[in-house]
Amino acid sequence: MKWRCALIQRWLPAYLDGDLPSFWRARLGSHLQGCPACREELAGLREVVRIVQAAATPDQGPAFWQTFHQELHLKLAQNAPAPEPSRFLKLPYYLVGAPALATLVFWAFTHLGQPPQKPLLTAMVGPEQVVYAGMEDGAWQNDEYPSWDVDAVMADLTHQERQAVLQNVRY
Amino acid sequence: MTDSQLVARAQEGDIPAFEELVKKYQREIYGLAYRLVLDAEEAKDLAQQAFLQAFVHIRSFRQQAQFRTWLFRIAINQCYSYLKSKKKFGEPVDPEEFVTVGEESPEEDLVTKDRRQRLYIALERLPAKQRAVITLKLEQGLSYEEIARVLGGTTGAARVNYCQALKTLKKYLQNEDEHEVAVRSYPKVVARISRR
């Protein structure tokens, strides 16, 4: 086989399709006119194409396809994908950050912005819980509970007693 | 209803819409699988498997390509996987089994059966990729661009692959013919060899 024939015969299947660029088609056509070996090769390829196309897979008949569908339907039903997530869940993830940040800022503002408040004495200890020493022993009369009016109490004291009280309060 | 409308409905989980697509392409997919694995029962399983895979992954189909091409690609991948596992673990197929598909048609005469059998033997000797190219080009009528999209690679590579496949198939068919002539010319010798 001549080297030119070898080169030409490489493109013969595409020449059969008519799928070659016009330049190559013209070149192959002119070569085929004068080369019986390449014409024979082309005829052989054409015969192969005819054989393959003639031996197409025969139709299997309705019973085959009915079984095919039944089996496939079962498989499809078993492997049906989960329903599509709602559009809200398909939002970009960076949009989730905005409400989260707003919540964080709100919480920080409400909880960290105000100074700490001292708890009220009445909230900590109810008035009914105040028990004077000796009240249950009967040491005090009903109206004689000690007054919380410091000035009134201090006024009844002597100078020495007052100094002693102030000394105790200070330390 | 067009393919893209059916695909859109199937993407929402509509099984009847997908089954419409199955009915549309079942013969092509089955034919392709049959040509590649040359076994009627396996071809049926592989075709079903291809449709199942397509249904499971249909949400990833973006409608940029044709649904048919996408389906071919899935079917060919299924067949490649099967052939790979068969090469590893399977037993060689008896050429007599190749004609099982055509046996139901009564009008098919012996000559046609014989030709078909010889073709299948020759096809079986081809590499899987060349068999796929031949089937896609000659049976399914795909262009080289579509073949390149199904099998991967460039259009030029698809054309070269097809040319090579056709020439190799021609050579194998000629070998089969020569073998047939030899067997008919020397029946006693062949019988003696086969007895050994």
Side-chain angles (χ1 to χ4, degrees), chain A residues 34-141:
Chain A
C35 180
C38 287
R39 275 205 304 273
E40 194 182 336
E41 176 72 12
L42 182 67
L45 289 175
R46 195 170 278 145
E47 177 65 11
V48 172
V49 170
R50 194 192 61 74
I51 289 172
V52 173
Q53 286 176 337
T57 314
D59 194 8
Q60 298 294 312
F64 172 85
W65 292 118
Q66 195 178 350
T67 317
F68 183 89
H69 282 169
Q70 282 171 353
E71 290 174 5
L72 184 61
H73 182 80
L74 279 177
K75 288 180 185 175
L76 290 178
Q78 284 169 357
N79 289 279
E84 185 87 354
S86 68
R87 290 184 68 187
F88 175 74
L89 294 177
K90 288 200 305 189
L91 286 174
Y93 288 116
Y94 58 81
L95 286 182
V96 177
L101 187 65
T103 311
L104 188 67
V105 168
F106 178 74
W107 180 85
F109 181 75
T110 52
H111 288 80
L112 303 179
Q114 294 175 354
Q117 292 177 347
K118 289 181 181 175
L120 294 171
L121 183 63
T122 50
M124 290 173 70
V125 182
E128 66 278 3
Q129 289 175 322
V130 178
V131 177
Y132 298 106
M135 189 174 71
E136 293 176 355
D137 302 336
W140 301 89
Q141 295 299 319

Side-chain angles (χ1 to χ4, degrees), chain B:
Chain B
M1 201 174 280
T2 61
D3 274 9
S4 53
Q5 287 170 328
L6 288 170
V7 167
R9 282 177 56 186
Q11 282 175 333
E12 292 165 4
D14 187 352
I15 294 180
F18 187 77
E19 283 176 335
E20 281 293 312
L21 288 167
V22 171
K23 279 177 191 166
K24 200 167 176 184
Y25 294 115
Q26 60 190 11
R27 283 177 175 77
E28 290 182 350
I29 296 297
Y30 173 78
L32 178 66
Y34 183 75
R35 276 278 197 248
L36 283 177
V37 301
L38 298 168
D39 183 319
E41 201 56 37
E42 288 298 339
K44 182 182 152 193
D45 285 349
L46 287 168
Q48 285 181 344
Q49 199 60 28
F51 281 120
L52 187 62
Q53 288 296 315
F55 183 64
V56 169
H57 296 107
I58 197 154
R59 280 183 194 155
S60 64
F61 177 67
R62 296 284 171 227
Q63 306 245 23
Q64 288 160 352
Q66 276 184 24
F67 179 72
R68 180 174 177 241
T69 318
W70 186 67
L71 208 53
F72 276 147
R73 190 173 184 136
I74 293 174
I76 280 181
N77 286 338
Q78 293 288 326
C79 292
Y80 280 174
S81 303
Y82 167 77
L83 290 172
K84 215 173 179 178
S85 66
K86 191 181 150 196
K87 200 176 174 184
K88 261 187 190 171
F89 309 111
E91 292 180 2
V93 180
D94 183 4
E96 294 294 325
E97 292 174 12
F98 289 160
V99 289
T100 50
V101 169
E103 277 177 358
E104 286 84 16
S105 54
E107 68 272 12
E108 196 173 34
D109 58 359
L110 283 172
V111 180
T112 317
K113 270 188 186 175
D114 185 48
R115 264 189 208 153
R116 188 189 291 271
Q117 187 175 350
R118 269 190 286 159
L119 173 67
Y120 287 164
I121 291 170
L123 276 174
E124 206 253 344
R125 291 173 67 189
L126 280 181
K129 192 160 190 178
Q130 292 192 359
R131 224 181 302 164
V133 170
I134 290 267
T135 310
L136 291 173
K137 181 74 185 161
L138 295 181
E139 270 198 51
Q140 313 297 343
L142 264 63
S143 66
Y144 290 121
E145 276 182 11
E146 287 171 323
I147 292 174
R149 238 176 277 142
V150 171
L151 297 178
T154 60
T155 310
R159 183 187 286 115
V160 169
N161 217 345
Y162 170 69
C163 293
Q164 190 61 41
L166 205 61
K167 289 185 77 172
T168 315
L169 186 63
K170 177 175 169 280
K171 194 172 80 182
Y172 288 161
L173 280 170
Q174 275 176 350
N175 286 350
E176 284 296 319
D177 286 345
E178 283 163 14
H179 174 71
E180 189 74 14
V181 169
V183 168
R184 280 182 188 157
S185 308
Y186 307 100
K188 287 181 182 174
V189 176
V190 171
R192 201 166 62 225
I193 290 170
S194 62
R195 271 202 299 276
R196 284 178 193 169

